[in-house]
Structure formats: C-alpha cells, structure tokens
C-alpha cells in the first residue's frame, strides 16, 4: 500500500477528508500484430513513466492524459461513430464524449507519435515529421481540434474501441476518471521509441507484461495490469477491437474499509487486486 494511503483512508472514513474531483482523462492501448512469439497474441505499447513524475513515477502505462475542454464543442472533421454515439457508449453527454475521444487520439499522437487521423474518412495522414506539432500540443499551445483544422485532417474515431472506465479511489491525492480504448497500429506508422515523459518504451504481449508484473519487474497501477489480463485471450489486434464492442463500460472504483489498524482496498469484480494489511496510526 502506498505510504500516503493509510492516513488518507482514515481521514476519509472519519469525514475529515473531502475527495478531490477526478479529472476526465483518456488512455489508449495501442496494439500491433506480427512481432510477438507465435501464440502470445498482439503486442501492447507501454511507456515507463520517469521516476521524477508526481503521478505513477516509475510505472508502466499506456499513452494517455487529461481531456482538453476546448475540444468539447469545437467543429471537428470526424469519421466513424458520431459524438452522439460515443456519448451513449461512454456514458456521458455528447460534448464530453467528443472531448474524451479527442483526448484519446491526441495523447496517442503526442506520446506515441501515432496519428489516428487522415485527409478523409477512409485514408490516413501521410507519414512526416510531426515533432514540432506534438510538442506544441503537449505545451497546450493549441487544441487538438485546431491542429486537425490547420492540417485539413479528419479524426478517425472508427479506429478506436472503448474498453473500460476506471476512476481513482476517493482517498487519492490525484484523481482521474479515465476511459480506456484499444486501437491497432495503422499500416505505415511506427510508434515513437523516445517519449519525453518516459525513460523507456516497450512493445510487450499481454502475457509478457502480466508475467513481468507478477515477477516484480514491471510496476503497474491496477487498471493497467487488469486491461492486459483482459487482453490475454486476444489473438490479434482486430480480435481485441471486436471484443471491445461487447464490453460494458461502467466506472470501476476502488473502495477502502477500515477496522482498527486493518485496512483493505477492494475493486469490485477484481478480487485479485485487493490490498490489505495492518497499518498502525
């Protein structure tokens, strides 16, 4: 259990802690075929966050980040399911859904260098050096909607599939309401091998990543490793996207129980994630 948790869990249970409002966010599990050993399924793109980072330092994660409210009501060239259809899928209103999908595509571009957009609804953007544009987006110099408009691009929401939604427990100092998506690496594109927020990038099959987590080689937050476990049966990236269409997207929230010095944190439906122990005040 992280060192800060026991005191905050006690304070929340005593009514002495006001939970931080979770920040809407999106993250994308980028998958590729043809590189993993036969029978291990597709590989997922993972970033090891620098240890100096305030949130999840040293942990492996997927490309992801916060929603930009500027994208919520912007006019955007759009292909695939409409914002209204995404709203129904994600459990939010239409404007929020548009911003969440934009965040997913933007973060995949910013952090992985993979652009899920093109000049029209059926093609992808031609490969080129987007380094300056990615840096400008990361610096919030313009919104993703503005980036698309400047380059005459259409957001390809048809290349995304919603997988899960996880909300950080109420006792945490930094909280996120995060939608997880899966996407296949588009033909002709390569993911970045160096990322500013990461000191390592790796393509790992779900089996390799889960085994590394269990062996203590890869640190991961509960949602990260859970999604990898859920992808263990996928034989291809396309199969993972097909499976996503049948998933129910509802918030998963960890909750704490306190009994004297005994503390337990559970995620309903995910008993393997349970954390418990004695933590004297």
């Amino acid at each position: 259990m992280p060192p800060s948790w026991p005191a905050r869990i006690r304070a929340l249970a005593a009514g002495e802690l006001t939970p931080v409002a979770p920040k809407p966010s999106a993250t994308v599990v980028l998958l590729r075929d043809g590189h993993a050993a036969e029978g291990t399924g597709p590989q997922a793109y993972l970033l090891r966050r620098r240890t100096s980072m305030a949130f999840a330092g040293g942990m492996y994660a997927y490309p992801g980040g916060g929603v930009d409210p500027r994208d919520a009501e912007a006019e955007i060239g759009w292909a695939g399911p409409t914002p209204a259809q995404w709203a129904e899928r994600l459990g939010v209103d239409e404007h929020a859904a548009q911003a969440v999908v934009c965040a997913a595509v933007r973060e995949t571009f910013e952090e992985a260098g993979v652009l899920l957009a093109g000049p029209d609804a059926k093609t992808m953007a031609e490969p080129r050096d987007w380094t300056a544009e990615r840096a400008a987006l990361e610096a919030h110099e313009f919104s993703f909607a503005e980036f698309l408009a400047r380059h005459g691009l259409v957001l390809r929401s048809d290349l995304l599939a919603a997988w899960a939604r996880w909300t950080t427990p109420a006792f945490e100092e930094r909280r996120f309401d995060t939608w997880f998506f899966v996407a296949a690496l588009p033909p002709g594109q390569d993911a970045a091998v160096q990322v500013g927020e990461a000191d390592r990038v790796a393509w790992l099959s779900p089996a390799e990543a889960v085994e590394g987590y269990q062996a203590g080689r890869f640190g991961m937050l509960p949602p990260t490793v859970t999604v990898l476990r859920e992808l263990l049966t996928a034989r291809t990236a396309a199969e993972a996207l097909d499976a996503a269409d049948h998933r129910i997207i509802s918030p998963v929230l960890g909750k704490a129980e306190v009994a004297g010095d005994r503390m337990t944190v559970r995620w309903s439906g995910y008993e393997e994630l349970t954390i418990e122990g004695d933590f004297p005040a």
Side-chain angles (χ1 to χ4, degrees):
M1 187 175 291
S4 63
W5 279 18
R8 295 184 65 83
I9 288 171
R10 283 194 178 87
L12 183 65
E16 299 168 355
L17 177 68
T18 301
V20 175
K23 181 179 180 179
S25 307
T27 189
V28 176
V29 188
L30 190 63
L31 300 169
R32 73 176 185 181
D33 293 319
H35 292 76
E38 186 176 353
T40 59
Q43 290 181 318
Y45 183 76
L46 289 157
L47 313 169
R48 186 173 67 185
R49 295 168 61 84
R50 296 185 183 279
T51 55
S52 58
M53 299 190 70
F55 180 76
M59 297 286 185
Y60 280 81
Y62 313 113
V67 164
D68 185 342
R70 294 176 294 180
D71 291 327
E73 299 188 36
E75 292 291 331
I76 297 175
W78 195 278
T82 65
Q85 289 171 312
W86 278 110
E88 183 175 357
R89 181 77 176 120
L90 302 179
V92 294
D93 66 44
E94 188 172 338
H95 295 304
Q98 176 170 299
V100 169
V101 173
C102 278
V105 177
R106 185 196 73 236
E107 289 293 329
T108 305
F109 181 50
E110 276 185 26
E111 297 193 353
V114 173
L115 181 55
L116 304 178
D120 55 52
K122 295 187 180 296
T123 57
M124 304 297 296
E126 290 293 326
R128 54 160 284 188
D129 184 1
W130 294 103
T131 303
E133 289 81 1
R134 289 167 60 203
L137 281 167
E138 189 172 358
H140 307 290
E141 293 177 13
F142 44 76
S143 70
F144 194 62
E146 291 171 316
F147 163 77
L148 293 172
R150 289 182 187 185
H151 297 279
L153 296 173
V154 173
L155 184 149
R156 293 287 304 276
S157 85
D158 56 311
L159 302 179
L160 287 174
W163 189 267
R165 179 182 179 183
W166 286 70
T167 304
T168 312
F171 52 80
E172 278 275 45
E173 296 177 68
R174 292 177 175 82
R175 300 189 66 212
F176 301 92
D177 185 4
T178 305
W179 284 264
F180 286 70
F181 297 85
V182 291
L185 179 68
Q189 294 199 42
D190 294 312
V193 295
Q194 291 185 326
V195 179
E197 293 184 354
D199 59 14
R200 184 190 177 200
V201 300
W203 283 101
L204 298 171
S205 72
E208 291 173 318
V210 171
E211 190 278 328
Y213 167 81
Q214 292 172 336
R217 296 195 307 274
F218 305 147
M220 297 181 196
L221 293 176
T224 307
V225 69
T226 297
V227 171
L228 288 165
R229 285 175 174 146
E230 292 167 342
L231 287 167
L232 284 171
T233 58
R235 292 168 296 181
T236 64
E239 193 170 290
L241 268 68
D242 288 341
D245 291 338
H246 303 288
R247 293 179 58 83
I248 297 172
I249 308 300
S250 57
V252 179
L253 175 67
K255 295 185 178 180
E257 303 168 4
V258 182
D261 288 339
R262 191 74 177 172
M263 292 189 184
T264 306
V265 182
R266 303 182 191 278
W267 285 262
S268 179
Y270 300 90
E271 295 308 311
E272 71 278 4
L273 298 177
T274 300
I275 301 173
E276 59 184 339
D278 292 322
F279 299 91

